[in-house]
Amino acid sequence: MNNSLLSYLKSDIEILESIEPMNSPAAHPLIDEVTLTTVVRCLLDSKTATLGQWHAEAIAHHIINNVTAGLQRITGIASDRTKQFSWSVILKILHLQPKNVGSIFNSSEDPTHWNYWQREALIYTSGILDNLSSDLVAPRCFAITEPSANVVWLWLEDIQGSPGSTWSLERFGVAAHHLGYLQGSYVMARALPSQPWLSRDWHRAWVSNIDNTALEAWREPTVWQHPLLKEIFSPDVGDRVMDLWSDRHIFLDAVDKAPSTLCHFDITPNNLFSRRNAYGDDQTVLIDWSFVGYGVLGEDIINLVLDSIFLLFVDGSSLIPLEKLVLEGYLAGLRSAGWNGDERVVRFTYAAVAALHFGLIAGRLLNLVRNESRYNWLEQRFGRTFDEIIRSRAIAIAHALELADEARLLLRYL
């Protein structure tokens, strides 16, 4: 695994705290009307539609991965014979930037690199996303263009639906069912794709770059006496983190034995939408496929649960019911795809990977609490008080340490 990926994984929390909106020339494109006409004709399934007035507006959001240069929503009117149609598309701009020594999110032109800059374009042209399932889909891609060297434009469907950030807990369970059916179908009926640019080994890379020296410093109970932490973490939190560190290879080796499937690796509420399909059925739309690759059953649902709490999309008090709904929904989806394996395999994968992914970042949360210079920026970034931000993250991390105990118990039966 490339060292840049290891640095990225190691610095997850710090990066989320420091990202500013990106300002790149590629983020403010000059749109060619000939290309736009082609895109709109594809969208409308018309060979003769002509453009009327149209408008492009940047979508404001914090870009973490600098492979993404910007996002635009383009809306307008088109005419086709005697009819007029309103339309909208999303333009996602990918680019390969020169290496920045101070950045750990450098894009790469190496297809095996974790941040291969053309991966999302390739997944759309590969056909892999065209027939995922009737319940879980990706946005339609109307065209892919290359306006200049090392720049690719993805012309994507503007999803009309409810974003995951507004979902009820029950809707998370529905999404988990849809995901379980899709990933179960790869185990039971579909051959996994073999493209060399698909990602792999995400969580093993995460764990391999943890600083053991820093972990040892967390054993001292007094360092956890901050008022925002001591009410959530038990006094032995440092020892529990070190026990998890000691078990890391046992957990990872066991996870590798689970059935392989295709994973998204970033299933968080901000990458999810719900809508009704043409038949009126509930459908989940999953966006941002830049990290897609090989994983195992149960691996993708950890972000759906714990990142929802960690990133403040769901209140920490709802963690246990959310987890129950997601696990039950996912297992039901696997069963509906024909998978009749031992559900403890899935529960172990979920518990072990969640523990390693979130439990081993306890010390970074401790460092964040100690860094008062970040308090105001964090509150502005999330629109919440610092206490709320830390409490949500602490709840997710403390639960991850509890999941480590569950993983140890389950491992006896696998």
Side-chain angles (χ1 to χ4, degrees), residues 1 91 102 107 114 119 140 173 181 222 248 257 265 286 290 310 329 360 380:
M1 180 66 65
L91 173 58
S107 52
W114 78 276
R119 181 175 289 119
R140 294 171 62 199
Y181 178 82
T222 58
R248 66 195 186 281
K257 297 176 183 178
F265 290 117
L286 186 51
S290 57
F310 191 91
L360 291 177
Q380 294 175 13

Side-chain angles (χ1 to χ4, degrees), residues 262-306:
L262 187 71
C263 287
H264 179 276
F265 290 117
D266 196 15
I267 302 184
T268 60
N270 51 335
N271 284 335
L272 288 163
F273 291 84
S274 61
R275 69 181 180 188
R276 297 287 175 178
N277 64 16
Y279 304 100
D281 299 323
D282 201 0
Q283 189 176 66
T284 299
V285 186
L286 186 51
I287 68 171
D288 194 354
W289 291 82
S290 57
F291 299 148
V292 61
Y294 302 113
V296 300
L297 293 184
E299 196 169 6
D300 251 351
I301 56 175
I302 69 164
N303 298 97
L304 187 58
V305 177
L306 291 179

Side-chain angles (χ1 to χ4, degrees), residues 122-144:
L122 288 168
I123 193 69
Y124 278 111
T125 58
S126 70
I128 294 171
L129 301 183
D130 292 346
N131 296 292
L132 293 177
S133 74
S134 61
D135 295 326
L136 192 150
V137 299
R140 294 171 62 199
C141 184
F142 302 115
I144 296 176

Side-chain angles (χ1 to χ4, degrees), residues 146-202:
E146 299 181 29
S148 60
N150 298 327
V151 176
V152 171
W153 291 2
L154 306 182
W155 298 88
L156 301 171
E157 178 183 4
D158 188 2
I159 304 301
Q160 305 300 312
S162 300
S165 58
T166 67
W167 284 1
S168 67
L169 295 186
E170 289 72 21
R171 188 57 184 76
F172 281 89
V174 173
H177 188 285
H178 293 166
L179 178 66
Y181 178 82
L182 172 65
Q183 295 188 328
S185 70
Y186 274 105
V187 175
M188 301 305 300
R190 300 189 190 190
L192 280 171
S194 58
Q195 284 81 352
W197 40 261
L198 290 167
S199 62
R200 63 203 73 206
D201 291 334
W202 275 81

